[in-house]
Amino acid sequence: YQRRVRGQSQCSNFLALKDFEATIQACSKVIEVLGDDYDAFMNRADAKMLKEDWAGALFDYRKASDMRPRDSRARNGMHNAEKHQKMAARKDYYKILGVDKTANSRDISKAFRTLAREKHPDKCASEEKQNCALEFQDINEAYEVLSDEEKKARYDSGEDIQVPHQHQHQNFRWSSGGFTFTF
């Protein structure tokens, strides 16, 4: 019993000190010695979240949830880990434009104009045109989302924003009764 309390205490103490590596090591040791320990899994998952190890945190939250299926803390942790994992897989519009997440609309517009001039396909050397075109498309997409307050708020909250790409329209034809309609 004392080993268990001492191990759990170390886990939570290191977490409170924001020493995430030590937290992960201490909690792993508790899990190794004591087997399934809810608090150790939760503390280790919290430390992994703060280290942005979304997959590792999700694993630990699932283990904790299996131990206490009705516990909302583990379920909320799983939800947050899944959300962050999904967000990490998408394009980072702030990084594309080279601005902070706290950038105002003026900073976003300025960064867009600068990058659009630099990366415009007509300004790139012929061997770099394809790469510039892709970068330019990403720059436009980032600006379209970050310059619109509603889209920016949705993006910041983790929602997927579908941005229609320019020059990718297809014509659809439908015929009926001798008439052809093009959309």
Side-chain angles (χ1 to χ4, degrees), residues 52 62-63 74 93 111 176:
E52 299 182 2
R62 282 192 177 130
K63 291 289 277 184
Y93 292 142
S176 176

Side-chain angles (χ1 to χ4, degrees), residues 3 6 9 25 30 35 41 47 55-56 62 80 82 110 118-119 121 123 134 145 149 153-154 156 163 172 176:
R3 279 176 116 181
R6 192 177 326 121
S9 176
Q25 289 176 0
V30 169
F41 275 110
R62 282 192 177 130
N80 286 335
E82 288 170 344
K110 184 178 178 182
E118 288 175 15
K119 299 296 182 179
K123 301 233 178 185
L134 293 173
V145 170
E149 289 300 319
R154 288 176 34 219
D156 288 343
V163 178
F172 296 95
S176 176

Side-chain angles (χ1 to χ4, degrees), residues 29-41:
K29 189 84 148 176
V30 169
I31 292 166
E32 179 184 315
V33 171
L34 301 175
D36 290 346
D37 184 273
Y38 173 82
D39 292 319
F41 275 110

